[in-house]
Amino acid sequence: MKRRFHKYFPWLFVVGDLFVLLIGLTLVISLFRYFIGYPEVTAKLYGYFVFFWMVISVGRKDYKISRTSEIGYTLKQIPESLVWLVGLMSIFWIPSQEHPLGVFFLAGVAITLVIFLSVYRVGVHLSLKHYRALGKNYRNAVILGRTRSSSKLARVFNQRRDFGINFLGFYDNDDTDQINSRGQVSKFFEEIDNLDLDLIYLSEGLDAHVMKQVMNYADERYLKVKVIPHGNLQLEKNLSFSKYGEFFVINVNEIPLDGLLNRVLKRSFDIVFSLFVTVFILSWMIPLVGILIKMESKGPVFFIQDRNGVNNEVFRCLKFRSMTPNDYADTKQATKNDPRVTKIGAFLRKTSLDEMPQFLNVLFGDMSIVGPRPHTIPMNRNFQLQVEKYNSRHKIKPGITGLAQVRGYRGEIENLRQIRSRVRLDSFYIQNWSIWMDLSICFRTIGELAFNRENAY
């Protein structure tokens, strides 16, 4: 049963993909023909789309849904494949036709297929997880060597049935009487031919001779062998590897934004977003708000404050001035009913409009749209002494909004629990960044600004 599923599932997945593709393509063509009489429908057009999608989907192995992958990974594959599809259609269709496909048509196809394929593939992903949770399409696994880390992994197998890992037990020389124990390691080599194994997990502290013996056996029988890192490497982050000739090392603190492509993608998003806001909103907001600020109190329009940015480098953070000029702006947080706050300042703070000039900081490259919120230098010095791993939030550029802010941690920091929660959420964002997370946080920020202003003062 296990082998049949592995054999037929990829083809069922690709056929379903093609069916969804044809439905989406037909819908777009029908709409374009109804409203503007374009494009001309031919079998050749469908043939190009079907052929290229087959090549892309099979070539990229989109059908490979890992047992441990989450829905986000499945969704990430769709736009990447569609970029290839639109690119190939643009290259091969245009030279062969009198009326080449227009940009709007290809954009319509891409948007429609993102929606249709997302629904289909997420449905397949969830169905596959449910199927595995029922005990189907499973893989038999054993663990050699019982340690704290390997025991945690065994619990994961038992709790996450949707992974489809049927854990058979431990082989260890010191705990033959414990739960899930199958005996000593030597017994593993006696029973291995009768276990119908698929996966072998080795604890890192296992004897080197035993590890080599297991790997040699597995290579001959096409079994997968995985090493469980020592507890010190179980850092709740994605590990990656660097290769120096034939030598591999583990990168224990690499983050997604260490990758050039991810940095370019995030910076491009920042530039486009902040440029749009600057041209269409700040161009009239700055003069208007500036006049209102000046009418109420003397002082500058902008409040410029040194804050710590990426790698703890100091930059000048811009805000609309919301207080009367005072000597405590850098050391004392704004509090509820703060007498320093002006009337126009109270409105700006309640609506978070006082933060709008920071889109200029984004354009200048000091900040990002999404990231850990920057704190004042005195606050940073204080929190570094009180909160473990506080400085890790400075691995990336600070943001106008962030994961902590949309999870309820906005406004005044009243106790250490709040800043510790912020640091944990900032750390999670840094370790798991994706452009989809940025977009999600942006949308949730709009919701926070519209419906939850109680912490903004």
Side-chain angles (χ1 to χ4, degrees), residues 8 20 28 59 61 63 67 81 114 143 217 235 264 266 278 286 365 384 390 403 411:
Y8 296 122
V20 171
V28 175
K61 297 182 179 180
Y63 54 82
R67 295 176 179 275
S81 295
V114 164
I143 297 178
Y217 179 92
L235 303 176
V264 170
K266 185 170 177 63
T278 300
I286 290 176
Q384 285 171 16
Y390 177 83
L403 182 61

Side-chain angles (χ1 to χ4, degrees), residues 139-146 150 153-154 157 165-172 180-182 185 188-189 191-192 194-203 206 214 223-228:
R139 293 289 181 266
N140 288 325
V142 296
I143 297 178
L144 271 63
R146 191 192 291 262
S150 62
L153 181 62
F157 289 153
I165 305 293
N166 181 34
F167 177 55
L168 301 179
F170 289 94
Y171 287 93
D172 187 83
N180 291 328
S181 177
R182 299 184 64 93
V185 174
F188 167 74
F189 295 102
E191 298 180 346
I192 192 168
N194 300 319
L195 291 177
D196 188 25
L197 274 183
D198 301 285
L199 295 164
I200 303 172
Y201 291 87
L202 305 178
S203 296
L206 208 61
V214 171
L223 301 178
K224 296 289 185 181
V225 178
K226 300 178 185 291
V227 177
I228 306 170

Side-chain angles (χ1 to χ4, degrees), residues 122-135:
V122 168
V124 171
H125 189 118
L126 294 175
S127 299
L128 188 54
K129 279 187 170 294
H130 179 68
Y131 186 70
R132 288 168 175 164
L134 294 175

Side-chain angles (χ1 to χ4, degrees), residues 297-298 320-326 329 332-335 338 340-342 345 349:
S297 64
K298 294 181 179 180
F320 283 126
R321 181 172 62 85
S322 59
M323 296 182 178
T324 55
N326 64 92
K332 185 179 178 182
Q333 294 184 74
T335 57
D338 196 315
R340 297 173 298 168
V341 177
T342 62
R349 283 178 171 273

Side-chain angles (χ1 to χ4, degrees), residues 10-69:
W11 295 108
L12 293 173
F13 181 92
V14 172
V15 169
D17 243 14
L18 286 175
F19 182 69
V20 171
L21 175 83
L22 291 174
I23 292 176
L25 182 60
T26 302
L27 176 62
V28 175
I29 289 175
S30 300
L31 291 174
F32 270 75
R33 283 183 60 80
Y34 180 79
F35 287 106
I36 60 176
Y38 175 88
E40 182 180 351
V41 182
T42 63
K44 191 174 184 180
L45 177 63
Y46 279 101
Y48 267 93
F49 270 100
V50 170
F51 173 74
F52 285 136
W53 188 252
M54 280 283 291
V55 171
I56 294 165
S57 183
V58 175
R60 284 172 45 81
K61 297 182 179 180
D62 287 353
Y63 54 82
K64 293 192 73 172
I65 300 177
S66 169
R67 295 176 179 275
T68 57
S69 65

